[in-house]
Amino acid sequence: MYFRYLGRELRRRARSAALVAIGLALGVGLVITVTSYAAGVKAAQGQVLSSLYGVGTDLTVTKPPTAGTGGPFRFSGTPSSSAQAGQSFAQDNLTSAGGLTTIPASDVSSISNLKGVAGATGALALSSVHITGTFTGGFGPGASATPTPTPTPTPAPTTTASASPSASGSGFGISTFSVDGIDPTEPGLGLLSGPNIASGASVVQKWFSDVQSGGSSDQTLALVSSAYAKQNSLKAGSTITISSTSSSTSFTVLGVVSVTETDGADIYIPLSEAQSLTGDTNDVNTIYVTADTANDISTVQAEIQKALPSVTVTSASNEASNISGSLSTASNLANSLGLGLSIAVLLAAFVLAVLLTIASVTRRVREFGTLKAIGWHSRRIVGQVMGEALVQGIIGGAVGIGLGVAGAFLVTKISGPLTATVGATGLGSSAPSGFGGGGGFGGGGGGFFGGASPGAFSSAPAGFARTFATSNHSVTLHMTAPLSLEVFGVAAGLAIVGAIIAGAIGGWRAARLQPAVALRRVE
Amino acid sequence: MYELKKLSRVYPKGRGKVAALSGVDLDIPDGEFITVQGLTGHGKTTFLLMLGALDKPTSGKIIFDGKDLGAMPESQLVDVRAQNFGFIFQNYNLLPTLTAEENVEAALVPLRIPTAERRARSTAALTEVGLGDRVGHFPSEMSGGEQQRVAIARALVKEPKVILADEPTGNLDEVTSLEIVALMEKLWKQRGMTLVLVTHDTKVARRAPRTAVITKGKLTMRDNRAPKVGTQGPPGTAKPAGAPKPT
Ligand SMILES: Nc1ncnc2c1ncn2[C@@H]1O[C@H](COP(=O)(O)OP(=O)(O)OP(=O)(O)O)[C@@H](O)[C@H]1O
Ligand SMILES: [Mg+2]
């Protein structure tokens, strides 16, 4: 009787029952999709972090750029006042990547001596900028020159400049690449540690042992990234020259390496060579640290911070918040919008379920009054109403699981590959960098001279550095949206809870009904 | 079995009050057939709701089988209703989603009777009211007279002590009305239960030995057996006083 009555009633108001079930199904489906998407994003973040910082790395120690110093790019060779129109110039800069302040190499050993630290290695991440150009006009006496590189062919000197290297005629060119100086005595740590190498593991191993064995020629062996090698037609045996303002060294390419899903650096050279190129013989700018156990990470982090108050110690979990790019958008989407949306839909479904259940009870006042008159207890009637709601919830939950699976599948199809960038924040805000005494390279941050107005050498935040960082630490990966039984259970449970709430409210109204009132009603 | 003592039911109406029933004193012995007459809004349904324990008096007492219905909590009244009262309504009040057989069965659900027995009794009751071939039909597939027969079957299937019918023929044509009333009289005679029948139709009212006439909430009894000139019912329909003994 119970189920026959229940089933018939639901069939009678099939449309409203379907509406409730669909509403709940949508809510459940969204919860599943969003949860699995968020799980996928989280997994992706983990993947990014491990690929950027090395599976063997628990903590990364850097020192942020200080205002006014160590901008991402410093054109220290201010054109002299004797520069002639038509004279060409070339300038090499090798600076700390992202304007990171250097850390004394001795800190590496003091960190490795800390309790709980399994190992630490220093590295020097550098950015090389090569600029060529032609002066188009003479420098007026006493002019504080603010040269304007204008990408358009029109000579467009700015108001304050009486002379500018400009794009007119021969043009103005910049080429950049990134260099990592790596400590060859610690092959198990940092960016080139085993798990991070996508291809070229054997050549990396050979590089480490060759450089370690320490012949003077071995010290000038370099590894290049596969992307950089392709771009510049480099192969084993090729020679590359890395220059700073003060010195220049030629390296022999030992082989090509590709780091897991990252672009990594373009060129890897021994730390000592990197140090002598920049003149910072005893400095590094990144220290990779591993802890004895995962549980120690936060303790070690605190200890390093205590020992070296001026450095920034980041753990993989800290770093998650620094990830930008579409991965971070995805993460924000999953966390805020997705969650908000699924809560909103679920709530709407709950409200719909409650309203339609109340409507059904109200329409059946006479029916329930009759049942009470023939001796049905209120609890039996409540049970009937609850049962009807529950069936809607179960159907909604089941359909919702199907929708959720489909949604999760669609999301991975639609979202396509994600990109992630680590470390861009903070770099873009680095101090105004000098160029002939002027400001840093301008631009909306979109790239070189992007949207540059006349007088583009403004002191705008260097969009330049950002581009650098991006090219250094950017990852592309494919989204997954893992599904779990647990999520199914929770989501379907939500639908059932919603149905029970609706049924309870409807049942409560049915229970309160006076049979006499119900029977007087004439329809 | 029924003892009504100074029974009153006052409803609030707007700012004032309406005495739907006031000071009703009445004894109804077991197995009696009583009809109830009165003008619209004078308290007939209220009277029936009192007898059926569907509403409570505001003052006075209604005692059924020695139990004061006005003093019982709803949870107990439900069981009293389930066991003792069968209702028949003007609008039939069948559950639209249930078949004739299931509608009848619904009256047995609260009595914890096994399913098979419930089915058998329901089918038997429907056969008794002449609907043995319509058990699987839904109310929407039946005429008003047929629906009312289902309602009668539903009322009598649990073999209640009392059948309370509120204008059961109010929606039916004259021929069907007579059929329905005749059916109820037949069942009353066979089973010896108490039958209280509200009707507007004086011809129908006079078929019972006694008629309760309710005027503005006041109840007076009229004896239909005392012949009056020109007002005698059809021959052979007047019943002797008292109840026929259950068979
Ligand atoms: N729930 C209520 N609230 C207020 N007044 C009510 C209520 N129920 C009934 N009444 C009033 O009580 C009086 C008696 O109503 P009742 O339904 O018993 O009359 P009735 O004789 O059955 O009329 P009818 O022949 O139209 O069915 C009426 O005046 C009615 O308006
Ligand atoms: Mg009435």
Side-chain angles (χ1 to χ4, degrees):
Chain A
M1 189 74 184
Y2 180 78
F3 289 105
R4 264 184 298 163
Y5 183 23
L6 190 156
R8 299 263 181 75
E9 173 57 28
L10 285 180
R11 231 173 301 156
R12 178 172 70 147
R13 53 182 168 101
R15 220 174 319 159
S16 113
L19 210 60
V20 170
I22 288 169
L24 291 170
L26 280 179
V28 168
L30 260 176
V31 168
I32 291 175
T33 304
V34 167
T35 310
S36 72
Y37 185 63
V41 168
K42 206 169 168 204
Q45 278 178 332
Q47 209 180 337
V48 167
L49 291 171
S50 66
S51 64
L52 290 180
Y53 289 91
V55 171
T57 305
D58 298 321
L59 294 164
T60 310
V61 178
T62 53
K63 206 168 189 175
T66 34
T69 66
F73 170 62
R74 182 179 292 278
F75 195 172
S76 52
T78 310
S80 74
S81 57
S82 64
Q84 297 289 306
Q87 189 178 334
S88 66
F89 69 93
Q91 181 69 56
D92 279 299
N93 284 274
L94 195 60
T95 54
S96 185
L100 290 173
T101 306
T102 53
I103 306 170
S106 58
D107 286 352
V108 177
S109 49
S110 44
I111 287 176
S112 44
N113 289 334
L114 290 174
K115 219 177 125 234
V117 172
T121 184
L124 196 54
L126 302 171
S127 304
S128 170
V129 182
H130 181 72
I131 299 177
T132 52
T134 309
F135 293 104
T136 50
F139 279 83
S144 70
T146 309
T148 309
T150 315
T152 55
T154 346
T158 57
T159 49
T160 55
S162 54
S164 1
S166 100
S168 77
S170 64
F172 183 84
I174 291 182
S175 66
T176 67
F177 56 86
S178 55
V179 181
D180 265 15
I182 287 173
D183 184 356
T185 62
E186 294 285 358
L189 292 169
L191 270 178
L192 282 189
S193 60
N196 281 333
I197 295 163
S199 70
S202 57
V203 77
V204 169
Q205 232 164 30
K206 182 169 160 41
W207 182 79
F208 271 111
S209 58
D210 281 5
V211 174
Q212 265 183 53
S213 70
S216 63
S217 63
D218 293 339
Q219 290 296 323
T220 56
L221 288 174
L223 293 173
V224 293
S225 75
S226 50
Y228 189 74
K230 202 170 161 200
Q231 198 181 322
N232 294 284
S233 318
L234 296 172
K235 55 182 194 296
S238 302
T239 304
I240 47 176
T241 303
I242 301 175
S243 305
S244 68
T245 44
S246 51
S247 65
S248 178
T249 309
S250 290
F251 292 85
T252 309
V253 174
L254 182 70
V256 176
V257 63
S258 160
V259 175
T260 344
E261 301 191 70
T262 76
D263 298 331
D266 294 323
I267 303 170
Y268 301 92
I269 59 173
L271 177 61
S272 57
E273 293 300 319
Q275 286 169 334
S276 59
L277 271 168
T278 56
D280 299 328
T281 332
N282 279 311
D283 290 338
V284 295
N285 62 6
T286 309
I287 303 174
Y288 299 102
V289 183
T290 42
D292 285 333
T293 69
N295 294 338
D296 292 342
I297 293 174
S298 53
T299 324
V300 169
Q301 183 172 10
E303 274 200 48
I304 295 172
Q305 200 68 75
K306 212 171 89 189
L308 305 167
S310 60
V311 301
T312 304
V313 188
T314 35
S315 66
S317 58
N318 291 148
E319 213 50 55
S321 59
N322 276 339
I323 294 182
S324 60
S326 62
L327 176 59
S328 112
T329 314
S331 163
N332 292 339
L333 197 79
N335 288 333
S336 53
L337 188 91
L339 200 69
L341 188 69
S342 41
I343 287 174
V345 170
L346 258 184
L347 272 182
F350 280 19
V351 169
L352 186 79
V354 169
L355 290 181
L356 288 179
T357 306
I358 289 176
S360 128
V361 168
T362 308
R363 200 168 30 74
R364 291 200 280 166
V365 159
R366 206 150 64 97
E367 182 171 326
F368 292 145
T370 305
L371 286 172
K372 285 189 175 187
I374 65 174
W376 280 43
H377 272 280
S378 284
R379 58 173 178 274
R380 195 181 288 277
I381 293 168
V382 172
Q384 208 71 40
V385 174
M386 286 282 265
E388 291 163 15
L390 203 61
V391 167
Q392 294 173 356
I394 289 169
I395 293 172
V399 173
I401 287 175
L403 282 180
V405 171
F409 176 76
L410 269 180
V411 156
T412 57
K413 283 279 163 256
I414 292 169
S415 73
L418 290 172
T419 58
T421 304
V422 176
T425 41
L427 300 188
S429 61
S430 56
S433 53
F435 188 96
F441 275 91
F448 295 122
F449 313 121
S453 50
F457 280 101
S458 66
S459 56
F464 198 52
R466 186 165 300 183
T467 316
F468 259 55
T470 305
S471 69
N472 270 352
H473 294 302
S474 174
V475 175
T476 301
L477 62 162
H478 289 275
M479 253 314 279
T480 58
L483 296 161
S484 73
L485 278 179
E486 222 172 291
V487 172
F488 288 175
V490 169
L494 282 175
I496 290 168
V497 165
I500 287 176
I501 292 173
I505 293 175
W508 175 72
R509 285 181 71 109
R512 275 196 335 160
L513 200 101
Q514 295 290 317
V517 173
L519 296 176
R520 279 184 193 278
R521 252 165 80 130
V522 182
E523 278 150 47
Chain B
M1 94 175 5
Y2 273 115
E3 282 176 73
L4 280 58
K5 291 176 182 166
K6 302 225 175 328
L7 181 83
S8 294
R9 180 60 167 103
V10 180
Y11 290 112
K13 192 162 201 174
R15 287 202 203 126
K17 288 173 175 176
V18 176
L21 285 178
S22 57
V24 173
D25 286 302
L26 180 68
D27 281 1
I28 306 174
D30 264 339
E32 184 170 0
F33 173 24
I34 283 186
T35 50
V36 182
Q37 268 196 297
L39 297 176
T40 280
H42 280 227
K44 303 182 297 295
T45 298
T46 307
F47 177 63
L48 214 62
L49 291 175
M50 291 294 149
L51 298 181
L54 286 170
D55 199 358
K56 287 185 175 186
T58 33
S59 66
K61 277 192 174 164
I62 173 162
I63 292 160
F64 172 77
D65 273 359
K67 285 169 284 198
D68 185 350
L69 296 182
M72 283 169 84
E74 169 67 20
S75 56
Q76 283 177 36
L77 288 179
V78 179
D79 294 328
V80 172
R81 287 199 292 266
Q83 286 157 16
N84 301 295
F85 307 138
F87 289 95
I88 300 168
F89 309 95
Q90 181 174 349
N91 296 313
Y92 329 127
N93 282 10
L94 298 180
L95 275 64
T97 51
L98 301 183
T99 62
E101 189 267 322
E102 288 158 353
N103 263 287
V104 176
E105 213 189 312
L108 297 176
V109 166
L111 299 178
R112 296 174 204 290
I113 293 167
T115 310
E117 191 191 331
R118 271 190 343 224
R119 300 242 168 105
R121 281 174 66 173
S122 302
T123 311
L126 282 167
T127 309
E128 213 171 338
V129 298
L131 290 176
D133 54 342
R134 309 295 298 270
V135 288
H137 287 220
F138 287 95
S140 57
E141 297 164 342
M142 288 184 274
S143 72
E146 284 162 347
Q147 288 187 55
Q148 197 58 296
R149 283 166 193 264
V150 176
I152 291 168
R154 178 175 67 184
L156 64 86
V157 70
K158 60 188 175 188
E159 290 167 2
K161 291 189 179 146
V162 185
I163 293 229
L164 303 164
D166 193 355
E167 294 179 49
T169 59
N171 286 356
L172 303 173
D173 63 58
E174 216 175 324
V175 176
T176 316
S177 293
L178 283 173
E179 278 171 21
I180 292 290
V181 172
L183 171 66
M184 286 173 52
E185 275 186 278
K186 186 187 98 185
L187 292 168
W188 163 69
K189 267 190 239 169
Q190 284 173 357
R191 304 198 173 206
M193 47 203 177
T194 308
L195 173 61
V196 182
L197 179 84
V198 175
T199 179
H200 277 295
D201 188 336
T202 308
K203 253 195 271 177
V204 172
R206 287 197 178 279
R207 296 166 79 115
R210 290 202 293 165
T211 298
V213 181
I214 301 179
T215 313
K216 293 187 178 169
K218 301 240 186 263
L219 182 141
T220 48
M221 291 307 287
R222 184 182 73 207
D223 198 328
N224 297 322
R225 290 158 299 179
K228 271 192 207 166
V229 180
T231 55
Q232 207 169 356
T237 54
K239 293 290 159 304
K245 290 292 139 214
T247 47

